[in-house]
Amino acid sequence: MQRYSGFGLVKHALSYHENWQRVWRNPTPKPKYDVIIVGGGGHGLATAYYLAKVHNITNVAVVEKGYLGGGNTARNTTIVRSNYLWDESAHLYEHAMKLWEGLSQELNYNVMFSQRGVLNLGHTLQDMRDINRRVNANRLNGIDGEVLDAQGVKEIEPMMDCSDRPRYPVMGASFQPRAGVARHDAVAWGYARAADALGVDLFQQCEVNGFIKEDGAAIGVTTKQHGEIRAGRIGCVVAGNSGVVAKMAGFRLPIESHPLQALVSEPIKPILNSVTMSNQVHGYVSQSDKGDLVIGAGIDGYLGYGQRGSYATIEHNIQAIVELFPCFSRVRMNRQWGGIVDTTADACPIMSATPVENLFFNCGWGTGGFKATPGSGHAFAETLALGKASSLAKPFSMFRFHDGALIDEHGAAGVAH
Amino acid sequence: MFYIYCPYCEEHREEEEFHASGEAHIPRPSDPDNCTDAEWGEYLFFRTNPRGLHHELWVHGIGCRKFFNITRDTVSYEIKETYKIGAKPQFTHAEEKV
């Protein structure tokens, strides 16, 4: 792998930037791999990278039906934080946060991780009680966080209306200084490049349409473009399409796929310092390095694979943002889109063995998967390497929906992501 | 944005009057006390989540407040039919038993 550096930039300038190495290879499939990852988004690519890097399993293929990082990785609002309430999820997301902090250096790829802090606003007394509880829980788990009053929020975001005017005035917030945003595409590309350099084969435009089974165990996949590919173990990391892939394997998941919409404005001069999220009025907003306001809120309530949602949902979202920041009322919106998010009943992911031997699923990240990308990949790689759940993944078995050991992060996570 | 025909009001109304309530035609176990954890968990949480035709429960929350069913394509979002609780859908998969 050609390492990227300032010196390299100068060197390549001399040849008019015409001799840069391709970022990853375009290989032909081998008949058999140790591990096949179905799904080449951020989580799948991170899984492949950590399999090769940490567990020295380099005979790995990533099979992607579209292009790398072209699903929810390209469609999220890039927020990274780890201020979750329960120990199981706090450990997982904080593990991801620690990996984020060194990720650009590790991958030799600038993922533009910017720790500008995340505010989770409180608008009612109950909100403030929940915020106090969550910040205390975070600190006990070694996660940074502080409780701010309305004045403290105003100092971080001077443009926010923290007066008594709004219907739901801002009473305070939790603030996680180490949280922030990252460049979503760079995360997928960085992991893909680093995994490729370690020998992982990446296949784009290669759709899995079935599993090869022997004695009830999965021993490979069939693909539309490259026929059969065999594997020792298979990990499915297909987000919104998890239900479809599980059906191919012959079982159901405790998951429903919903549209989640987001939108960005025209670029404007720097106006936001942090990421602001509000569960009560329901919306979140940050400003990208290009200057656009990146805005999102909750899912559309109906099942949907169409990567689009209803207008009413974004209208409510915008109402919330304008209530918080009245000065945004005349900012024009540039683009709007939807992703397909795989939601579970307890708003926590699934990293799990399945009823089919050798087949593992990493899904159910719902509306908040981007922040977990490195941690998810790290924990799922260990799960695939061991053939059983790693210590971080263990509480997130799909069978918790049988025995009732749910991890209720609804609301406790501060906002519906 | 959906324009939904409520089979009880017998009128088309805008989506905002309605609320989606998930998959339809999930029978409650006849003897819940004797269900295994797995059977009860499957009933509560596991869904078919299909890409394509989907029978789903909706409620006309800001209208007659009655529950009814919709058959809808989850990719094109096209509403094929709406029908009352207890009625059978006209549009089904070959493999489906409703």
Side-chain angles (χ1 to χ4, degrees):
Chain A
M1 182 176 80
Q2 196 172 38
R3 279 190 70 79
Y4 293 154
S5 65
F7 174 72
L9 204 60
V10 173
K11 195 181 87 181
H12 279 282
L14 299 175
S15 55
Y16 304 100
H17 295 293
E18 285 173 354
N19 295 320
W20 286 98
Q21 193 185 59
R22 276 187 174 270
V23 181
W24 50 76
R25 296 165 295 128
N26 198 10
T28 43
K30 301 178 208 165
K32 184 165 190 228
Y33 289 90
D34 293 340
V35 178
I36 289 180
I37 310 286
V38 182
H43 288 231
L45 293 165
T47 305
Y49 169 73
Y50 290 115
L51 269 173
K53 178 81 181 177
V54 181
H55 304 284
N56 212 18
I57 301 172
T58 55
N59 187 24
V60 175
V62 177
V63 184
E64 163 60 44
K65 78 167 176 181
Y67 53 94
L68 299 180
N72 292 347
T73 304
R75 290 163 180 271
N76 66 84
T77 47
T78 78
I79 299 166
V80 175
R81 60 188 177 88
S82 63
N83 53 352
Y84 278 68
L85 177 69
W86 299 104
D87 289 352
E88 296 86 350
S89 37
H91 292 160
L92 180 60
Y93 290 103
E94 179 60 13
H95 180 60
M97 178 65 84
K98 293 208 171 90
L99 291 169
W100 275 113
E101 286 174 329
L103 197 60
S104 292
Q105 285 74 24
E106 175 162 2
L107 299 179
N108 180 232
Y109 201 100
N110 187 3
V111 298
M112 295 168 75
F113 181 45
S114 159
Q115 292 176 292
R116 58 186 69 175
V118 167
L119 288 164
N120 289 108
L121 301 179
H123 302 261
T124 65
L125 280 174
Q126 187 58 46
D127 275 358
M128 293 313 296
R129 289 185 200 111
D130 290 342
I131 281 169
N132 271 297
R133 180 188 180 203
R134 181 161 46 76
V135 169
N136 283 332
N138 288 162
R139 288 185 166 191
L140 287 171
N141 276 321
I143 298 167
D144 59 326
E146 50 196 280
V147 180
L148 304 175
D149 59 10
Q151 188 56 39
V153 174
K154 187 85 183 163
E155 279 166 22
I156 292 173
E157 288 300 354
M159 300 314 290
M160 195 188 300
D161 185 353
C162 294
S163 71
D164 287 337
R165 182 202 60 85
R167 182 171 174 190
Y168 299 104
V170 174
M171 294 181 74
S174 72
F175 185 59
Q176 188 187 12
R178 283 159 69 236
V181 291
R183 167 102 169 89
H184 49 112
D185 292 327
V187 177
W189 297 336
Y191 272 120
R193 173 171 169 269
D196 176 86
L198 293 169
V200 172
D201 284 352
L202 310 172
F203 302 108
Q204 305 188 67
Q205 309 288 324
C206 180
E207 183 175 352
V208 168
N209 55 11
F211 291 95
I212 312 166
K213 284 197 203 171
E214 205 172 84
D215 301 330
I219 55 161
V221 298
T222 57
T223 65
K224 265 189 189 162
Q225 289 77 3
H226 296 294
E228 291 190 356
I229 312 175
R230 310 238 157 194
R233 291 194 180 116
I234 302 167
C236 293
V237 199
V238 294
N241 282 307
S242 293
V244 178
V245 176
K247 193 183 172 193
M248 289 176 200
F251 58 90
R252 298 196 304 172
L253 289 168
I255 276 180
E256 285 189 314
S257 297
H258 289 272
L260 176 64
Q261 302 184 74
L263 57 167
V264 294
S265 74
E266 60 188 339
I268 54 177
K269 286 189 176 179
I271 194 165
L272 289 177
N273 298 312
S274 68
V275 181
T276 297
M277 317 180 78
S278 168
N279 206 11
Q280 187 70 31
V281 298
H282 211 182
Y284 40 82
V285 59
S286 63
Q287 190 171 21
S288 78
D289 293 349
K290 273 191 299 189
D292 355 349
L293 301 174
V294 185
I295 296 170
I299 56 171
D300 282 77
Y302 49 83
L303 213 71
Y305 286 88
Q307 294 190 318
R308 63 192 186 284
S310 295
Y311 180 69
T313 307
I314 39 177
E315 194 176 26
H316 290 311
N317 184 356
I318 290 297
Q319 283 166 355
I321 298 302
V322 171
E323 183 82 338
L324 290 172
F325 296 95
C327 63
F328 291 169
S329 66
R330 283 180 295 155
V331 174
R332 285 165 297 190
M333 291 301 139
N334 230 354
R335 288 178 292 123
Q336 164 266 330
W337 66 91
I340 317 168
V341 296
D342 40 337
T343 59
T344 58
D346 61 356
C348 274
I350 290 169
M351 285 190 277
S352 176
T354 66
V356 178
E357 210 183 318
N358 296 339
L359 181 63
F360 296 81
F361 264 73
N362 180 0
C363 59
W365 292 92
T367 56
F370 178 73
K371 67 173 81 67
T373 305
S376 158
H378 201 270
F380 195 52
E382 193 177 335
T383 301
L384 286 169
L386 297 172
K388 64 182 174 71
S390 72
S391 56
L392 276 176
K394 206 169 179 190
F396 299 99
S397 162
M398 69 181 273
F399 301 108
R400 73 178 184 271
F401 294 94
H402 284 165
D403 60 30
L406 305 190
I407 306 155
D408 181 14
E409 283 290 358
H410 271 298
V415 72
H417 310 281
Chain B
M1 193 80 183
F2 297 128
Y3 200 44
I4 299 171
Y5 182 81
C6 171
Y8 294 98
C9 299
E10 300 184 340
E11 273 178 33
H12 279 89
R13 301 284 183 85
E14 285 188 11
E15 182 190 334
E16 279 185 280
E17 291 193 14
F18 300 87
H19 187 82
S21 303
E23 189 174 329
H25 307 302
I26 301 174
R28 187 180 167 85
S30 55
D31 188 5
D33 289 341
N34 290 317
C35 279
T36 62
D37 284 356
E39 284 165 350
W40 189 246
E42 291 278 334
Y43 163 67
L44 280 184
F45 297 117
F46 287 66
R47 297 292 179 262
T48 48
N49 196 20
R51 192 184 174 99
L53 225 49
H54 187 229
H55 304 294
E56 52 197 17
L57 198 61
W58 284 69
V59 59
H60 194 179
I62 318 175
C64 64
R65 300 175 64 189
K66 289 196 172 93
F67 282 86
F68 63 97
N69 297 314
I70 293 183
T71 307
R72 192 174 56 88
D73 188 308
T74 59
V75 181
S76 71
Y77 295 176
E78 185 195 351
I79 293 174
K80 303 279 188 189
E81 60 178 335
T82 64
Y83 54 100
K84 291 180 182 174
I85 296 295
K88 298 270 185 209
Q90 307 286 317
F91 296 83
T92 52
H93 292 297
E95 62 202 76
E96 212 172 26
K97 290 181 275 296
V98 180

